[in-house]
């Protein structure tokens, strides 16, 4: 059939099962958007208020559903605004399709409005090259079907990730006689199974282990390996610890849950993983945050511990720690085969009693902040009431900074894919649109977005999208008038802080009126000054079934997450007190990288 480039794109996305596209139109995408208006290619368009948010929204949708969503922008600044979103998706292995307008093919290099051409003609695709799995420039309408099915293959196979297609403005308008491909005929299917010998070696190592630990990262959650991990852990009675992105892979009220690991982890999780003799890592990259900047004994001890590392990406095997067994495979078949070939463990009572004891000690450490009745509140206290209100299968989306750390440490989750955060790139401004993407993908679930006021301000305009498209997310905003996670790091490392508090010229705390902002955008709003109020208002907000903001007035001091691990934050040479000694103690214990 003869179709314009815009209609080729729209019909192909419809054929491929895409349910939404999100973005902002502009002169480079006017024709492109027209393709979504025909009955044969109609897909709902979510209009956001900043192009970066379109990618974050699509990112959240994929994390929640495993299905890709498309984001679009015009040429130039709109396209450039997507870099942070694409980098976030790339770092966290989230599949996003970004479609941007491009210069007309007959004027490339002439410096048309919003073209980057000083170093090379039409240079923008190179801006996104480091943060995409693959990118294409479509210079002919009849090439679009081929480009699109290859883009979906790149996004969804192996380690998922974002892709970018730039469509020249004249290509959007040109017509071509094409056949719309069927994705199932073009997409590689099936799982990557592990080397049988590697599985046998892993089984043997686990059989001889006295203190084994399973570490689950984002790859385990993304690979839907929760059931397989649970089967292996319970069969061999192995405690499970989690990274930021691995949180919710394993039920946190189970006796085998050991806690979170890393710099912002738990004392129990770090102790168990540091003292383990065999560590089975599943979809975990061993970032500095998850591995306490590789300080031996803080989170891991390789050697003497032996590492079994499962990852779909061979690049990750042995990258940061030497492996005893490296397994390149999908998480589910690898873990399932290890479980099937392992003998059930009859007795690990002493070890499991230690797991329970360590978890209890960690909970006792959290309790004073979690149960605090102080006003302003600790950042943990609103999470206590929220957990009691929400059903087990509700989804929380955590922003960066203090909110991210306190959710990781304090807020228990029980079912797979009920917690999402950007654990690798960790940008401010991700959580608000990502939470709406999650809700679009899982309309049957209650979704709560937990952010600090600093991050909220970086994406605050997107609360309007929740109203215009009727996306009932509850935004829990912890207001402590500043970038308090950053302030805490400054104070710890330098003894002072600058540009991290929101304050007037005379030093008084400053905060916008979030209730007035929320009401102006059309959301229901509440401000909680006390723990009793936050519990009541959260319940009312969730029961309303509408987009809502609950602002929790949170203390600046002694209100953030604990830091049981270590992070390599260099101390300035002009500081000569004990901070310098403490830093170099950690540096000297870093394992060879």
């Amino acid at each position: 059939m003869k179709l314009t480039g815009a209609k080729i794109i729209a019909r192909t996305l419809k054929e491929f099962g895409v349910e939404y596209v999100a973005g902002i139109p502009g002169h480079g995408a006017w024709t492109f958007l027209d393709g979504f208006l025909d009955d044969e290619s109609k897909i709902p368009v979510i209009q956001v208020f900043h192009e970066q948010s379109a990618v974050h929204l699509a990112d959240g949708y994929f994390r929640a559903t495993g299905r890709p969503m498309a984001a679009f922008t015009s040429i130039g600044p709109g396209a450039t605004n997507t870099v942070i979103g694409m980098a976030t998706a790339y770092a966290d292995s989230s599949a996003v399709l970004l479609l941007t307008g491009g210069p007309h093919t007959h004027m490339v290099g002439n410096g048309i409005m919003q073209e980057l051409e000083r170093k090379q003609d039409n240079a923008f695709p190179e801006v996104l090259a480091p943060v995409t799995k693959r990118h294409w420039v479509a210079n002919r309408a009849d090439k679009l079907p081929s480009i699109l099915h290859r883009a979906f293959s790149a996004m969804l196979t192996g380690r998922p990730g974002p892709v970018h297609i730039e469509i020249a403005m004249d290509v959007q308008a040109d017509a071509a006689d094409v056949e719309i491909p069927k994705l199932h005929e073009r997409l590689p299917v099936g799982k990557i199974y592990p080397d049988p010998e590697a599985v046998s070696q892993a089984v043997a190592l686990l059989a001889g282990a006295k203190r084994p630990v399973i570490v689950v990262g984002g790859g385990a959650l993304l690979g839907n390996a929760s059931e397989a991990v649970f089967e292996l852990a319970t069969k061999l009675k192995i405690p499970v610890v989690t990274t930021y992105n691995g949180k919710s892979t394993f039920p946190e009220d189970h006796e085998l849950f050991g806690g979170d690991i890393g710099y912002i982890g738990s004392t129990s999780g770090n102790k168990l993983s540091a003292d383990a003799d065999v560590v089975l890592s599943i979809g975990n990259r061993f970032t500095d945050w998850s591995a306490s900047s590789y300080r031996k004994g803080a989170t891991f001890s390789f050697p003497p511990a032996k590492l079994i590392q499962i990852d779909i990406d061979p690049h990750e095997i042995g990258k940061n720690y030497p492996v005893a067994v490296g397994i390149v495979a999908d998480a589910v078949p690898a873990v399932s085969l290890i479980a099937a070939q392992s003998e059930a463990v009859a007795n690990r009572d002493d070890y499991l009693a230690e797991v329970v004891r360590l978890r209890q000690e960690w909970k006792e450490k959290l309790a004073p902040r979690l149960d605090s009745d102080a006003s302003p509140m600790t950042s943990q206290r609103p999470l206590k009431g929220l957990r009691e209100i929400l059903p087990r299968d509700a989804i929380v989306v955590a922003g960066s900074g203090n909110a991210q750390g306190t959710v990781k440490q304090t807020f228990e989750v029980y079912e797979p894919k009920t917690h999402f955060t950007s654990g690798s790139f960790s940008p401010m401004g991700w959580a608000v649109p990502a939470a709406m993407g999650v809700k679009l993908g899982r309309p049957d679930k209650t979704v709560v977005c937990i952010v600090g006021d600093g991050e909220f301000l970086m994406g605050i305009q997107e609360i309007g999208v929740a109203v215009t498209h009727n996306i009932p997310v509850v935004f829990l905003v912890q207001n402590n008038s500043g970038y308090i996670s950053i302030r805490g790091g400054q104070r710890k490392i330098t003894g002072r802080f600058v540009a991290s508090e929101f304050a007037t010229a005379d030093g008084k705390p400053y905060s916008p009126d979030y209730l007035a902002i929320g009401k102006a955008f059309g959301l229901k709003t509440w401000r909680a000054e006390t723990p009793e109020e936050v519990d009541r208002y959260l319940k009312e907000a969730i029961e309303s079934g509408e987009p809502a903001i609950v602002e929790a007035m949170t203390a600046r001091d002694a209100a953030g997450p604990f830091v049981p691990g270590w992070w390599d934050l260099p101390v300035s040479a002009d500081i000569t007190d004990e901070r310098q000694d403490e830093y170099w103690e950690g540096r000297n214990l870093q394992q060879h990288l």
Side-chain angles (χ1 to χ4, degrees):
M1 66 188 82
K2 196 158 190 174
L3 298 169
T4 65
K7 291 181 179 180
I8 293 170
I9 294 168
R11 290 200 187 188
T12 303
L13 296 188
K14 182 90 169 180
E15 172 69 26
F16 287 4
V18 172
E19 295 182 284
Y20 298 98
V21 294
I24 297 178
H27 79 280
W30 284 334
T31 304
F32 162 75
L33 276 180
D34 189 65
F36 294 98
L37 295 178
D38 292 348
D39 289 340
E40 299 88 348
S41 55
K42 191 168 286 184
I43 299 175
V45 176
I46 307 295
Q47 180 184 306
V48 296
F49 295 108
H50 190 288
E51 292 88 356
Q52 174 181 316
S53 299
V55 180
H56 289 331
L57 195 148
D59 178 3
Y61 179 90
F62 176 77
R63 293 182 198 228
T65 67
R67 302 188 303 272
M69 178 178 163
F72 72 89
T73 76
S74 183
I75 182 176
T80 309
N81 274 341
T82 66
V83 173
I84 290 176
M86 294 296 276
T88 303
Y90 187 75
D92 280 351
S93 304
S94 185
V96 173
L97 173 64
L98 175 63
L99 303 163
T100 65
H104 321 65
T105 58
H106 52 281
M107 287 196 287
V108 168
N110 287 98
I112 69 164
M113 184 179 182
Q114 300 182 333
E115 178 190 9
L116 296 172
E117 44 71 45
R118 214 170 290 169
K119 289 191 174 182
Q120 67 184 73
D121 294 349
N122 188 29
F124 173 71
E126 295 303 312
V127 173
L128 286 183
V131 294
T132 54
K133 282 189 74 176
R134 177 76 194 271
H135 71 263
W136 290 262
V137 176
N139 289 322
R140 284 170 39 188
D142 63 347
K143 296 296 291 182
L144 283 167
S146 173
I147 289 172
L148 282 161
H149 78 67
R150 286 184 289 148
F152 272 71
S153 179
M155 269 196 302
L156 298 172
T157 58
R159 182 175 182 171
V163 297
H164 168 228
I165 304 173
E166 180 181 279
I167 310 105
M169 283 186 267
D170 55 320
V171 171
Q172 298 173 36
D174 287 347
D177 194 357
V178 299
E179 182 178 342
I180 303 299
K182 289 180 168 44
L183 186 60
H184 72 272
E185 296 177 349
R186 298 286 188 168
L187 193 67
V189 295
K191 301 287 188 183
I192 298 175
Y193 271 66
D195 181 343
E197 178 58 30
V199 171
S200 297
Q201 292 174 9
V203 169
L205 268 180
L206 289 171
K210 302 298 184 186
R211 300 179 58 84
V213 162
I214 296 173
V215 180
V216 288
L221 191 66
L222 184 63
N224 299 310
S226 296
E227 186 177 335
V229 170
F230 188 86
E231 178 190 5
L232 178 63
T234 53
K235 183 176 184 178
L236 300 187
K237 294 183 171 58
I238 303 176
V240 177
V241 298
T242 60
T243 68
Y244 272 112
N245 282 339
K247 188 176 173 72
S248 82
T249 303
F250 195 83
E252 296 185 4
D253 57 349
H254 195 278
E255 64 176 359
L256 287 172
F257 180 64
D260 309 296
I261 59 168
Y263 170 65
I264 306 294
S266 64
T267 53
S268 56
N270 280 339
K271 174 69 173 172
L272 289 166
S273 54
D275 290 350
D277 57 353
V278 175
V279 174
L280 172 59
S281 170
I282 307 166
N284 166 39
R285 296 194 300 130
F286 291 105
T287 64
D288 62 335
W289 263 26
S290 292
S292 289
S293 291
Y294 318 106
R295 176 175 176 167
K296 189 171 184 177
T299 299
F300 296 108
S301 304
F302 300 116
K306 295 180 179 179
L307 173 61
I308 304 166
Q309 188 174 5
I310 299 171
D311 205 287
I312 199 168
D313 186 352
H315 168 76
E316 299 297 342
I317 303 293
K319 182 178 75 176
N320 287 326
Y321 287 119
V323 297
V325 182
I327 302 176
V328 178
D330 277 276
V332 170
V335 176
S336 296
L337 284 170
I338 291 172
Q341 295 181 26
S342 297
E343 297 291 334
V345 173
N347 191 331
R348 265 207 181 110
D349 292 348
D350 290 344
Y351 187 32
L352 297 187
E354 181 182 353
V355 175
V356 172
R357 176 180 60 79
L358 290 172
R359 281 289 294 159
Q360 184 58 35
E361 290 175 358
W362 171 241
K363 289 181 178 182
E364 290 171 2
K365 184 176 179 66
L366 291 174
R369 294 186 185 181
L370 194 63
D371 299 333
S372 171
D373 60 1
S375 298
M377 290 171 276
T378 66
S379 58
Q380 291 85 354
R381 178 57 184 85
L383 304 184
K384 177 184 179 182
L386 182 63
R387 181 66 277 175
E388 292 172 354
I389 295 164
L390 288 177
R392 287 179 68 88
D393 64 350
I395 300 172
V396 296
V397 178
S400 59
N402 274 357
Q404 186 178 46
T406 51
V407 169
K408 182 188 182 191
Q409 291 182 338
T410 309
F411 192 87
E412 286 193 349
V413 288
Y414 312 118
E415 297 189 12
K417 295 190 176 181
T418 55
H419 168 271
F420 297 105
T421 192
S422 174
S424 297
F425 211 59
S426 196
M428 286 191 274
W430 175 85
V432 170
M436 290 188 285
V438 169
K439 182 63 177 179
L440 283 174
R442 299 303 306 272
D444 57 320
K445 303 295 184 185
T446 301
V447 177
V448 177
C449 175
I450 305 168
V451 290
D453 57 318
E455 170 157 5
F456 190 53
L457 286 170
M458 289 202 180
I460 195 168
Q461 72 282 348
E462 304 307 333
I463 62 175
V465 177
V467 176
T468 57
H469 293 279
N470 190 27
I471 307 173
V473 173
V474 173
F475 302 97
L476 171 57
V477 182
Q478 300 201 339
N479 185 358
N480 47 26
S481 295
Y483 304 123
I484 301 306
S485 176
I486 297 169
R487 172 183 181 263
Q490 287 179 326
R491 188 164 58 178
K492 178 180 178 181
I493 299 304
T494 68
R496 49 190 178 177
F497 49 85
V498 62
S500 53
E501 290 185 344
F502 300 159
T504 57
D506 59 1
K508 294 179 180 177
Y510 170 81
S511 179
D513 188 339
Y514 294 111
L515 267 65
I517 294 171
K519 288 175 182 176
F521 272 98
L523 284 80
K524 287 184 172 293
T525 59
W526 292 264
R527 175 178 294 129
E529 304 275 0
T530 67
E532 185 275 331
E533 287 179 344
V534 79
D535 293 348
R536 185 169 75 252
Y537 296 156
L538 281 169
K539 189 173 187 296
E540 291 177 15
I542 291 164
E543 290 177 348
S544 76
E546 298 181 38
I549 295 172
V550 176
E551 178 187 16
M553 305 310 293
T554 309
R556 279 176 169 174
D557 296 300
F562 290 98
V563 287
W566 187 74
W567 196 17
D568 189 338
L569 295 172
V571 175
S572 177
D574 59 5
I575 294 176
T576 58
D577 59 21
E578 67 278 0
R579 284 170 291 176
Q580 197 69 249
D581 296 333
E582 290 171 1
Y583 173 69
W584 282 102
E585 178 187 355
R587 274 287 299 272
N588 292 332
L589 287 171
Q590 280 182 309
Q591 299 185 270
H592 178 67
L593 303 180

